[in-house]
Amino acid sequence: MKSRTKVVVIGGGIAGCSTLYHLTQEGWSDVVLIERDELTSGTTWHSAAQVTNFGMNQTMVGLKSHSVALYKKLRDDPEYPVGYHHGDGGIRLANTEAQMQGYRHFASMARGMGVEYEVIDAQECARRHPLISTDNLLGGLWDGEDGDIDPAQLSQALAFHARKAGAEVYRHTNVTSLTQHRDDTWTVETDEGSIDADIVVNACGYRVNEVGAMMGVHHPVASMEHQYFITEDIPGIVEAGHRMPLLRCPISDYYSRQEKNGLLVGFYEQDCKTWGMDGISPNFANDLCPDDLDRVMDVLEGAFERMPALTEVGIKRVVNGPITYTIDGAPLVGQIPGKRNAFCIIGLRAGVGEGGGHGWLLAQQIVHGEAQYDTWCIDPRRFTGHTNVELTALKAIEDYQNEFRFHFPHEHRPAGRGAKTTPITPIMEAEGAEFTVVNGWERVEYIKPTPDFHPSLSFDFDEAFDVIAAEVRNVQENVGLCEVNGFNRFEITGTDRHVFLDRMFCGNVTKRDGRVGLGYLLNHFGMVKGEATIANIPASDRGPARAWYGSAAASEFHDMDWLRAHMSADEDVQIRSITNDQTILVLAGPKSRDVLSACSRGDWSKAAFPWLSVRECFIGFAPATVMGVSFSGELAYEIHVPNASLYAAYTALREAGKAHDLKLFGARAVESMRMEKGFLHWKADLITEFDPFETALDRFVKLDKPDFIGRDALLKRKEAGPTKKFVSLEISTDKTPALGGASLMQEGAVVGTITSGDWGHRIGKNLAYAFVDVSVSEVGTAMQLDLCGDIVDAQVIAAGPYDPEFARTRS
Ligand SMILES: Cc1cc2nc3c(=O)[nH]c(=O)nc-3n(C[C@H](O)[C@H](O)[C@H](O)COP(=O)(O)OP(=O)(O)OC[C@H]3O[C@@H](n4cnc5c(N)ncnc54)[C@H](O)[C@@H]3O)c2cc1C
């Protein structure tokens, strides 16, 4: 074993092999993979190894397309060919119109990535898969690229090509400890000696937390037992004369693919089982869990009914192995939160199909600092401190039980609820709140008109439409109160805090005490990395002079890593998170000043406290920090209250609000109002694939600032001109909101992709944001939107159509 290398990848399953291969593809050859046993001896060797192109967002579709293209290349490589059945096709079945509508949306979304799915009816499903019955079937989504691969050959081929490019692979070498040095490099101890490395990668499959513990990290990954069986030959398959397409069934929770002349059928039973929660035997390698077909009887029956041929043949082999899950079902691929020079590619539950793409995007992040797609949907920092293996296990069970049932918009499943609450969550519940979950926080979505109000799961506007309209109306005409919990907040102190922040933001963010400003952070490629407000609070009995950095609810770990990575040892700057200590009560509407004045001493007049001011005060007797900022476009105040005083502040505001028709409102009303104001959402509209000029943030960029992160790259980008433009659109239907990912078209060709959409209740229009080709970005340009298969007209409009002069906000 060599004594030093650039990167040590720990784990030789598909995840580790793909990462190693792609590191060499990105130009790093001094890289090493360490595997405790043989390559693929974890989960990979016994995988059903289906490779689909289907994904539920564009990043997932893009990375899966990369897998498919790479695997085809490896299949055709005469030097080390890999067995890959590409293009058998696959059907995701559906028996409800709502599922079919979802598939039509995913088809619209994938088209923007150059991938075509077909949505077909039940008869066509049966024509393409002659073994299935059409009973209780409406149709399905067809992915023509579906297939399966030999997972061991695939991993070996990736390792082979990586070795050829200079990488080294050490098998039968167990990593036993990790030590990080002051310069952020690592020493990796193994039972075969130690190796120093700049960077380590955890690719340890179900042993993820054994290696996590070596670096003091607890990854939210849990394992489930998962079974499939392989049948004897089925005459219908031999007679068909073509390979059977793959099937994935959300009706009865199984999948199947052809294996020789029989079928491989895998199950997602309701009576499912976590695995390895109390530790894993060191001897578990190339191993399986005991068969337990009794457990899958509930779903087996559904498979038999759909494919009666299964009842006529015997079972040749059963495989039961561990498979990893995360809190939201997507893997953790990227930088490990709170660590430097440490990455992971873990929590893969479809790792053979996706592994090619994940390894590719991870290698790009390691080598270049960013991948070509925005990788937030797989970023390990998208969960924050509340996530642990206990919570993950609950979500893993739920996810396993719903494997092929995609989430609908506004659907929040019951497992692991209440992970993060505030002292007023029970009060909101008593008020009739419907909750959404934001990074574990229970956040009010709207106040239900009746306790048994449950809108249907749908991609269309749902039954809550009028409820939200009424909440918006009260904010517009009177005053509303909304709890915004979990909003990310850092306190930045030290005499050099403004110098530091100036370097982080691409524009001028206010340095004046008592003032609030909005700014954007770029990465080194000049692309949009983050968005934050800065509020400058003068020294007081509550603390020294400080800047409060506020950003999106899930951004805490992401933004903290980014800010800390750019702190300079010779600057006096300290950053601490107060995200979990404070909650915001938003008071919005023309009567909000009256309510604030009635419960808080001091002069809250426009002259004394204009828009974009910040002031410490008391709400009743509860200490609070008030900012004059507005996401709704009405006169509004963000009231930041320590959680210990939240109930007191809430009670004071409710009491003061009685005289002014104060009513509660929730996140869905906020969403509607922000669309009318042209305000953007981090990681929906603000992504690393576009620079601030493309994102229509020109007014927040000051290129004449001597320096800021991303400036040089941005200057070059500006010279080259934009590739896309961010626009606002009016959509000509009142049936369905524009859904993120949906494709905009002109004459049948894709010209843009929706990022956000919602009904603007104050202006009575269906609104959307999108990135579109520059040639179609002018106001007035007409195009069509594929909205769940309905082709509807869309037109570019000026941004922020409600109160464009901001007169109401400044009133
Ligand atoms: C029954 C079943 C069917 C499946 N079907 C499919 C499918 O159809 N399609 C699909 O895409 N996915 C499928 N999967 C999931 C897929 O197989 C996994 O997502 C994938 O194999 C995970 O790969 P990995 O590299 O992350 O983990 P693993 O394959 O488990 O590799 C991790 C490696 O790390 C090594 N390691 C651990 N600790 C150390 C250490 N301390 N030092 C050195 N090395 C260490 C292990 O020995 C192991 O080789 C299936 C899984 C199961 C169980």
Side-chain angles (χ1 to χ4, degrees):
M1 190 155 78
K2 48 162 113 164
S3 59
R4 169 147 243 306
T5 185
K6 227 170 159 52
V7 185
V8 168
V9 179
I10 310 167
I14 177 62
C17 293
S18 174
T19 304
L20 191 76
Y21 168 83
H22 284 99
L23 283 169
T24 63
Q25 294 292 301
E26 296 296 327
W28 284 12
S29 54
D30 181 10
V31 290
V32 156
L33 185 148
I34 301 182
E35 163 56 47
R36 70 195 291 275
D37 199 274
E38 287 293 347
L39 294 184
T40 76
S41 59
T43 291
T44 301
W45 69 277
H46 59 74
S47 177
Q50 300 155 104
V51 181
T52 173
N53 220 358
F54 177 80
M56 278 180 283
N57 61 52
Q58 292 198 329
T59 295
M60 290 305 280
V61 172
L63 73 88
K64 290 183 187 204
S65 292
H66 176 82
S67 284
V68 170
L70 170 66
Y71 298 174
K72 280 201 286 189
K73 200 169 100 184
L74 294 173
R75 178 197 61 189
D76 298 337
D77 174 18
E79 206 176 358
Y80 205 112
V82 172
Y84 179 27
H85 299 118
H86 167 258
D88 287 353
I91 313 173
R92 277 162 205 271
L93 303 175
N95 68 341
T96 69
E97 189 44 54
Q99 283 167 333
M100 292 292 280
Q101 193 191 21
Y103 290 159
R104 287 190 199 101
H105 165 62
F106 297 131
S108 169
M109 176 273 298
R111 193 168 312 127
M113 297 300 285
V115 170
E116 289 293 335
Y117 307 139
E118 268 178 83
V119 180
I120 53 178
D121 65 18
Q123 275 61 42
E124 187 59 19
C125 291
R127 201 186 61 75
R128 295 185 190 192
H129 196 310
L131 298 184
I132 67 168
S133 98
T134 55
D135 292 351
N136 185 28
L137 187 66
L138 262 185
L141 177 131
W142 172 264
D143 167 16
E145 304 259 7
D146 228 320
D148 69 273
I149 195 161
D150 183 318
Q153 279 181 11
L154 167 65
S155 307
Q156 295 284 0
L158 290 167
F160 169 82
H161 288 290
R163 275 201 203 96
K164 259 181 74 176
E168 293 186 15
V169 175
Y170 306 123
R171 292 172 302 133
H172 298 286
T173 305
N174 191 21
V175 171
T176 51
S177 85
L178 296 166
T179 310
Q180 189 159 30
H181 305 290
R182 294 183 73 148
D183 63 355
D184 294 331
T185 63
W186 295 86
T187 296
V188 180
E189 295 284 350
T190 78
D191 53 5
E192 299 290 324
S194 70
I195 179 167
D196 292 329
D198 293 337
I199 293 167
V200 292
V201 178
N202 184 344
C204 287
Y206 50 74
R207 293 191 188 274
V208 47
N209 274 315
E210 293 176 9
V211 173
M214 295 177 200
M215 57 171 86
V217 171
H218 190 74
H219 294 287
V221 176
S223 299
M224 303 291 297
E225 283 189 23
H226 174 49
Q227 292 183 93
Y228 63 75
F229 64 55
I230 296 171
T231 71
E232 291 170 340
D233 288 1
I234 295 175
I237 293 183
V238 183
E239 285 155 21
H242 62 82
R243 284 183 59 81
M244 288 299 109
L246 290 83
L247 277 191
R248 295 180 183 83
C249 179
I251 310 161
S252 303
D253 305 299
Y254 63 86
Y255 56 84
S256 86
R257 68 163 174 84
Q258 185 169 337
E259 175 69 20
K260 302 229 163 43
N261 281 328
L263 286 180
L264 179 156
V265 190
F267 300 98
Y268 292 100
E269 67 282 7
Q270 293 301 299
D271 182 21
C272 55
K273 212 171 153 188
T274 55
W275 182 84
M277 291 290 286
D278 296 318
I280 302 163
S281 160
N283 301 324
F284 192 93
N286 281 305
D287 217 342
L288 291 173
C289 313
D291 302 352
D292 186 2
L293 278 189
D294 284 349
R295 223 176 51 226
V296 304
M297 281 307 161
D298 57 336
V299 283
L300 193 61
E301 228 157 80
F304 282 0
E305 278 165 20
R306 182 67 61 211
M307 290 180 286
L310 282 176
T311 58
E312 290 157 18
V313 290
I315 292 172
K316 266 202 321 207
R317 187 171 164 228
V318 180
V319 167
N320 184 15
I323 189 166
T324 52
Y325 278 76
T326 65
I327 296 268
D328 64 1
L332 305 171
V333 181
Q335 195 180 322
I336 296 177
K339 290 280 160 192
R340 301 250 178 113
N341 292 359
F343 294 81
C344 60
I345 174 166
I346 52 177
L348 278 76
R349 75 173 192 212
V352 172
E354 295 174 4
H358 287 307
W360 174 56
L361 295 182
L362 180 61
Q364 289 184 350
Q365 292 181 62
I366 294 172
V367 173
H368 311 295
E370 203 80 74
Q372 72 187 72
Y373 301 134
D374 190 291
T375 50
W376 182 241
C377 63
I378 51 172
D379 194 312
R381 298 165 301 188
R382 68 189 184 276
F383 312 120
T384 57
H386 66 292
T387 54
N388 50 46
V389 173
E390 302 300 323
L391 178 64
T392 309
L394 294 178
K395 294 306 282 182
I397 292 168
E398 183 181 66
D399 222 20
Y400 186 96
Q401 290 168 331
N402 289 283
E403 180 74 24
F404 297 126
R405 283 186 278 275
F406 53 78
H407 279 81
F408 283 87
H410 310 299
E411 180 183 8
H412 296 286
R413 293 181 178 162
R417 294 299 295 269
K420 291 187 192 169
T421 58
T422 72
I424 64 168
T425 305
I427 297 171
M428 293 295 160
E429 201 168 1
E431 292 277 1
E434 178 68 42
F435 292 97
T436 177
V437 184
V438 180
N439 186 31
W441 290 95
E442 295 290 334
R443 191 178 283 179
V444 176
E445 196 168 38
Y446 52 84
I447 302 295
K448 293 184 284 190
T450 57
D452 58 354
F453 182 75
H454 296 298
S456 27
L457 293 176
S458 170
F459 285 76
D460 291 337
F461 290 113
D462 62 22
E463 295 86 342
F465 187 89
D466 291 340
V467 179
I468 293 155
E471 289 185 1
V472 170
R473 200 175 318 116
N474 193 57
V475 170
Q476 185 183 19
E477 292 172 0
N478 299 309
V479 54
L481 183 64
C482 173
E483 183 196 33
V484 182
N485 48 21
F487 189 76
N488 183 45
R489 178 73 62 202
F490 299 149
E491 187 167 273
I492 306 181
T493 48
T495 48
D496 295 319
R497 63 189 182 284
H498 293 306
V499 178
F500 167 67
L501 288 170
D502 220 30
R503 194 166 67 241
M504 300 306 300
F505 285 90
C506 65
N508 289 334
V509 179
T510 179
K511 301 176 180 61
R512 277 167 54 201
D513 273 352
R515 297 296 292 163
V516 183
L518 176 67
Y520 292 85
L521 299 89
L522 311 184
N523 63 19
H524 293 100
F525 300 97
M527 311 303 242
V528 176
K529 184 86 175 164
E531 177 198 56
T533 52
I534 293 295
N536 295 306
I537 305 172
S540 72
D541 57 351
R542 295 185 197 168
R546 55 213 183 274
W548 271 12
Y549 171 107
S551 56
S555 67
E556 184 184 358
F557 285 5
H558 172 278
D559 285 16
M560 187 61 96
D561 277 350
W562 186 248
L563 294 178
R564 288 222 163 117
H566 295 92
M567 285 169 75
S568 164
D570 53 16
E571 281 173 359
D572 174 27
V573 177
Q574 301 84 40
I575 308 178
R576 74 179 181 108
S577 176
I578 53 173
T579 301
N580 291 335
D581 308 334
Q582 304 252 346
T583 294
I584 304 173
L585 297 171
V586 170
L587 201 54
K591 298 182 187 171
S592 55
R593 179 176 288 120
D594 300 332
V595 175
L596 185 60
S597 303
C599 63
S600 182
R601 249 183 246 287
D603 182 357
W604 293 103
S605 67
K606 181 176 171 180
F609 193 77
W611 187 42
L612 298 179
S613 299
V614 56
R615 179 195 287 177
E616 291 180 324
C617 65
F618 292 90
I619 302 293
F621 56 78
T625 306
V626 175
M627 295 180 203
V629 292
S630 173
F631 209 46
S632 60
E634 304 296 338
L635 173 69
Y637 303 95
E638 265 188 12
I639 304 170
H640 297 247
V641 186
N643 283 337
S645 306
L646 190 64
Y647 176 67
Y650 173 79
T651 312
L653 286 162
R654 287 307 300 253
E655 196 54 38
K658 276 184 185 157
H660 302 284
D661 297 312
L662 181 144
K663 291 195 181 116
L664 297 174
F665 67 105
R668 290 215 10 212
V670 175
E671 182 62 13
S672 162
M673 292 187 279
R674 73 112 185 163
M675 292 297 304
E676 292 174 308
K677 288 303 297 172
F679 296 148
L680 314 191
H681 248 186
W682 187 64
K683 293 305 176 194
D685 317 306
L686 299 165
I687 58 174
T688 54
E689 290 171 33
F690 300 104
D691 68 36
F693 298 123
E694 291 167 323
T695 314
L697 298 171
D698 306 43
R699 67 189 187 285
F700 293 98
V701 183
K702 290 282 169 286
L703 282 172
D704 51 1
K705 258 172 72 167
D707 196 21
F708 59 82
I709 292 164
R711 182 174 179 273
D712 294 347
L714 188 62
L715 279 168
K716 286 196 191 118
R717 289 190 65 84
K718 188 162 190 239
E719 220 174 280
T723 55
K724 296 270 179 191
K725 269 287 184 191
F726 186 81
V727 295
S728 296
L729 296 156
E730 184 184 342
I731 312 297
S732 65
T733 175
D734 57 8
K735 175 175 173 274
T736 315
L739 300 156
S743 286
L744 287 155
M745 294 168 313
Q746 264 189 350
E747 291 165 16
V750 176
V751 293
T753 300
I754 297 289
T755 57
S756 290
D758 204 354
W759 189 264
H761 286 282
R762 291 173 296 192
I763 61 170
K765 288 184 172 156
N766 197 359
L767 300 172
Y769 299 148
F771 282 101
V772 298
D773 292 350
V774 178
S775 59
V776 298
S777 61
E778 286 298 314
V779 168
T781 311
M783 57 195 92
Q784 291 77 45
L785 174 63
D786 179 344
L787 206 41
C788 302
D790 293 338
I791 306 300
V792 298
D793 289 334
Q795 192 176 44
V796 179
I797 59 169
Y802 179 71
D803 185 24
E805 307 303 327
F806 281 70
R808 297 178 73 88
T809 315
R810 294 175 207 263
S811 61

